Amino acid sequence: MSYDLTVYCPGSPTVDEVRLLVGNTRGLHVDPDSARDTGVVVLRGMKRGYSFTVDGPFSVEPVDLPEEVVAVLPAAATMFQVLVEGTQEAEIPYGVRFARKLAKACHGVVMDEQTTDIWPQPRTVKAPPRTEPKPERRDVWISWLILEEDLPADFLQGYLRIAREVLPESVPVRFGKYEPLQFRFDSSGEEGFIDEFYNDDSNGWDIYYKNPPPVTYGKIEAPQLSAGNPFTRITLVVDGHALADSPLRSALRRFFLAVATELGAVYASAEVERHQDMGRVPIFNMRPPQWVGFQPYPLWWVWAGPRLAPDIGRFLGPSAKEHNGGLFRAFSDEPLDRDALTDVLGPENLPWIPAEYSATYTDHQMAPLAVASVIPEILRNREPLDLPPGIYNPPRKA
């Protein structure tokens, strides 16, 4: 574990300025063997033992600022993370002192991530709390699973093209591999987005992106062929309140089917988030990640691609529609969560798929107790590829 502090600055200090500040602090030294562009390892004392690490600088957008920081430093543009790692509890005071020194030098503030306390304490009286309640979040999670052997070589270009043509709100705005997201699509473009996806020495490719509502979050994860996991997974989160608008709902449905058919998804689904057990997903990290079974509750939308429809098509019912060789079932017009869908469908139509096709869970259990007893052949893990240690996938992009 580590003790974490975050320093927010209104300007853009550099890592060289951090090194200089460390060198000017009595008893602290920059580790010369760990020089890097995005951080400093700090040693302390005559023996120069490890004390803490400063990671950064990272650009930060106003939308990513915690409320506690916005209240005292709404103009924060850069952040550093001061981490006292491992079991070095005696070093925590030194990390705290340096974080405060860095904040003072950049006219910023420190947030203690363990307590959310801010230093220095604001001198102004906090505004009274909002009297009107915030509307309850109602996110719709959409996911597509694509087998490696079906994945088009230019699938990222295809995904972005479909987004531009069908659902412009889903075109990435900010993207990257870690928070805070470091790139903007309007300046980096499609090429920058694709380069960042493949920017990983181990070929363990992935990318995340954030947008303003109605499409708020996206994620694209490559398979782990070294572990026998053959699925590329695309995830999109949409503000469910916005889907009361029928034209947007229609556009999202066209986008869902276009991605499913043009990128060759074997399975896709859409569901309204319910926080109690959103972790019950078909792909679970059971060492290795693998298909564990279909969700054991009704979903808003289900797509079975041409290679899966012969196995589960009969369970989608007569209201399922054929689409480019696959089957699509909308369990309701407007997005409903599983409780509402259960009431609408009635016990005679549930479960939507036989229990043996779903993993076994207990109440409030995220991880399955057991995988499904029936897994269609097309969804089973493959034989792991024999790749060098630390390499997940063979090169896909030069």
Side-chain angles (χ1 to χ4, degrees), residues 141-183:
W141 286 68
I142 302 171
S143 66
W144 297 263
L145 292 174
I146 309 166
L147 291 166
E148 173 67 13
E149 61 259 34
D150 296 337
L151 194 68
D154 59 349
F155 83 100
L156 288 171
Q157 292 94 329
Y159 178 78
L160 295 172
R161 174 185 54 78
I162 296 168
R164 286 191 295 266
E165 294 175 356
V166 182
L167 189 67
E169 296 90 342
S170 66
V171 175
V173 173
R174 294 170 44 235
F175 65 89
K177 288 186 175 291
Y178 54 84
E179 295 279 2
L181 303 179
Q182 297 295 294
F183 302 97

Side-chain angles (χ1 to χ4, degrees), residues 3 5 22 43 84 135-136 162 185-186 193 200 235 271 274 290 299 328-329 332 354 361 372 388 398:
Y3 196 92
L5 304 117
V22 172
L43 310 178
V84 183
E136 183 180 352
I162 296 168
F185 196 85
D186 56 7
F193 185 84
D200 192 320
T235 302
E271 64 174 301
R274 196 183 72 166
Q290 61 186 280
L299 306 168
F328 170 68
R329 169 79 187 268
S332 64
Y361 298 88

